[in-house]
Amino acid sequence: MTHWRADEWAEAVRTGIRARGLSLDEAARRIGVPTSTLRSWIEHRHAPKVTVFDHWAQLAEVTGLGEAELLRVAGVLPDSLASPVHVAQAAKALREGIDQAGQFLRQATALVYSSPGTQVANLIAASPVDWEMRIRSATRGDEVRVTYHHYVGIVAPRDFPHDDAEVRRILEHDVLGELWRPLGLYWRVAEVHDWHEPPRLVIQVPEQEATRPPASSPVVAAPPVVVLSPIWGYGELLASLVADGLGFGNVDFRYFGLPDAMADRVRITARELAEPAPRLVHSVPPIMLLHGLAVPDLTGRLPLVVRYGPRMRERAARIYREPLLEAGFSDPLAGARAIEEAVAAGIPPGCAYYEVTLDDADVFDGDSPSLDRLNDSVAWFAEQIVEQVLLGAGHPPVPLGGPLKRLVLPSGRVRRPPSLAGRVVRRVADRSGLEG
């Protein structure tokens, strides 16, 4: 378990400031806090308030220390992650996370809750059992970096007298019981990408695609949004980026804390989708469309419909082969097409919607898809939708929050998208459903 080492951290900050020839007043000015605040951070022998993390990058700059090194000195970054490779990885993740008010770990007994990953780590760190935590983040994109979720790997003490199944039960029910369903946590069973030799037990914690309420302000007078996507169409990512860009809340049923039984999942999801909810973006789970979930009534809502090319469809069928077989399709590709047909049939005649086409040319790099390129394509299409919705609501066409804010230039203008084969088109459904 890690503990905030107040003395070591304060001494490292003081030494770094002196080594750079700065007075306390000048250092505080560069950090962007009153001198009294900086003095309280480095003179009080306890953990500073959580607001210190809002200025972490500036602290690293005035001290000449890296962001992750400051965490290591403070005792927040465990020694097990203190190798140069791990510190470099942590520093990269920390820099990206600061814009979202904290993607890094804080000691539970001294600091308040922040991001979902922090909440999970806080409770585990506060447990009487001395669990070892190993953290990774799934981050993708070249132009728009997005952290999809965090992996929290758990290693029990060597003398812990329980097997993996009991460890799961203890963590899920006794340690994280108050967060497990609200945050939509689950045990990662599939391969953990970009992590060489991960622990046997890994908790997946949603970040960008997490379910969250609308921003308090400003308010955009636009209808609630519903995203209809095929499997592996990245509709959930599109929904979350559009939600952030408009200041809306996001509802991703994968992280909704649903029960295990599919019938119960469909029933609860249908109930949640039944009535339009102001300032929310819902992404309809595509697999549930094969288990009785109907596309909700779209009256008063703005649908976003995702379509893609044959190579993405074929890959989707391979990735979701087992769920499609369980849904009764002997041919997974036929199941993938059935979901697309259900989406098309759910758009009533005369309904205006945005059609987002993910073109194979924007996604595949040779024979394999590039997840970074796929992420960037979805982000650029989300920005175009946000821009059009904001203009229609009488607002400047500048995303209000989330990763899309990184596309805003210092001049206040939004960067123009690259040349993409895919596109966003506003359409009106004809009598047969979606326009072809």
Side-chain angles (χ1 to χ4, degrees):
M1 188 180 301
T2 58
H3 299 277
W4 186 278
R5 297 195 290 260
D7 288 346
E8 291 90 335
W9 183 82
E11 181 58 33
V13 172
R14 282 195 298 269
T15 300
I17 290 173
R18 285 197 300 267
R20 296 176 71 84
L22 300 175
S23 66
L24 210 59
D25 290 338
E26 176 62 16
R29 186 189 67 79
R30 294 190 183 188
I31 294 170
V33 298
T35 303
S36 59
T37 297
L38 177 58
R39 182 175 290 109
S40 72
W41 290 347
I42 62 178
E43 290 185 358
H44 293 184
R45 298 307 186 195
H46 55 72
K49 293 181 179 179
V50 74
T51 52
V52 69
F53 291 100
D54 295 332
H55 306 278
W56 205 253
Q58 292 84 356
L59 263 171
E61 182 179 349
V62 301
T63 60
L65 300 172
E67 296 158 28
E69 178 63 17
L70 280 175
L71 283 182
R72 190 195 64 77
V73 171
V76 176
L77 188 65
D79 291 339
S80 60
L81 296 181
S83 72
V85 172
H86 288 148
V87 169
Q89 291 173 339
K92 182 179 180 182
L94 292 171
R95 283 194 297 273
E96 295 164 353
I98 285 172
D99 290 339
Q100 299 179 35
Q103 307 262 341
F104 41 81
L105 297 177
R106 303 166 190 173
Q107 210 286 331
T109 58
L111 302 178
V112 300
Y113 289 159
S114 180
S115 72
T118 300
Q119 294 182 48
V120 170
N122 281 344
L123 280 185
I124 294 174
S127 167
V129 178
D130 192 16
W131 308 104
E132 179 183 342
M133 285 184 287
R134 304 176 186 173
I135 314 298
R136 291 292 186 279
S137 295
T139 302
R140 297 173 186 163
D142 293 322
E143 297 188 70
V144 183
R145 298 289 284 172
V146 177
T147 298
Y148 288 56
H149 45 258
H150 305 284
Y151 300 120
V152 180
I154 303 296
V155 179
R158 290 184 179 181
D159 58 350
F160 200 59
H162 300 289
D163 59 15
D164 285 353
E166 181 63 10
V167 169
R168 287 191 184 94
R169 189 202 67 77
I170 292 171
L171 283 164
E172 182 175 339
H173 296 283
D174 300 341
V175 178
L176 298 172
E178 66 184 74
L179 295 181
W180 195 266
R181 287 198 178 278
L183 291 184
L185 308 179
Y186 63 88
W187 294 102
R188 178 81 178 193
V189 177
E191 177 186 357
V192 180
H193 303 292
D194 304 324
W195 193 347
H196 180 62
E197 296 183 356
R200 293 194 306 271
L201 302 179
V202 176
I203 301 171
Q204 184 158 319
V205 186
E207 186 64 42
Q208 175 58 37
E209 296 170 332
T211 294
R212 53 186 174 274
S216 56
S217 64
V219 176
V220 176
V225 178
V226 176
V227 177
L228 301 165
S229 170
I231 52 173
W232 204 65
Y234 277 56
E236 295 88 0
L237 175 63
L238 179 74
S240 69
L241 292 172
V242 169
D244 284 347
L246 297 176
F248 281 20
N250 181 60
V251 179
D252 187 332
F253 289 102
R254 297 175 304 169
Y255 305 120
F256 202 66
L258 294 173
D260 294 331
M262 180 59 74
D264 292 334
R265 298 172 74 88
V266 170
R267 175 178 52 81
I268 295 173
T269 301
R271 184 186 66 202
E272 293 294 327
L273 289 170
E275 296 293 333
R279 302 187 63 217
L280 280 180
V281 179
H282 286 88
S283 50
V284 176
I287 286 292
M288 288 193 195
L289 295 174
L290 300 179
H291 292 272
L293 179 68
V295 174
D297 179 8
L298 298 174
T299 303
R301 311 190 203 199
L302 174 62
L304 309 181
V305 178
V306 180
R307 307 181 85 162
Y308 50 29
R311 297 182 71 186
M312 285 194 69
R313 184 182 298 109
E314 290 172 4
R315 182 167 181 83
R318 289 197 299 272
I319 293 173
Y320 287 87
R321 181 177 184 276
E322 292 303 321
L324 293 171
L325 291 176
E326 291 175 3
F329 291 92
S330 58
D331 179 6
L333 191 57
R337 290 197 180 98
I339 292 175
E340 294 180 85
E341 292 169 1
V343 169
I347 306 294
C351 178
Y353 64 96
Y354 284 103
E355 181 184 80
V356 178
T357 301
L358 297 173
D359 196 285
D360 289 338
D362 297 327
V363 175
F364 281 81
D365 186 3
D367 295 332
S368 301
S370 166
L371 299 183
D372 289 329
R373 289 175 58 183
L374 177 53
N375 174 91
D376 287 345
S377 296
V378 173
W380 280 114
F381 295 146
E383 193 284 323
Q384 292 175 46
I385 293 169
V386 168
E387 182 175 302
Q388 294 186 49
V389 172
L390 289 174
L391 282 172
H395 292 266
V398 178
L400 301 179
L404 298 183
K405 286 284 286 183
R406 299 171 197 163
L407 298 175
V408 181
L409 300 171
S411 64
R413 288 180 167 274
V414 179
R415 289 169 51 197
R416 291 299 87 197
S419 177
L420 295 170
R423 58 181 183 166
V424 174
V425 179
R426 187 179 185 278
R427 297 189 182 279
V428 177
D430 60 20
R431 293 184 179 179
S432 61
L434 299 184
E435 291 186 347

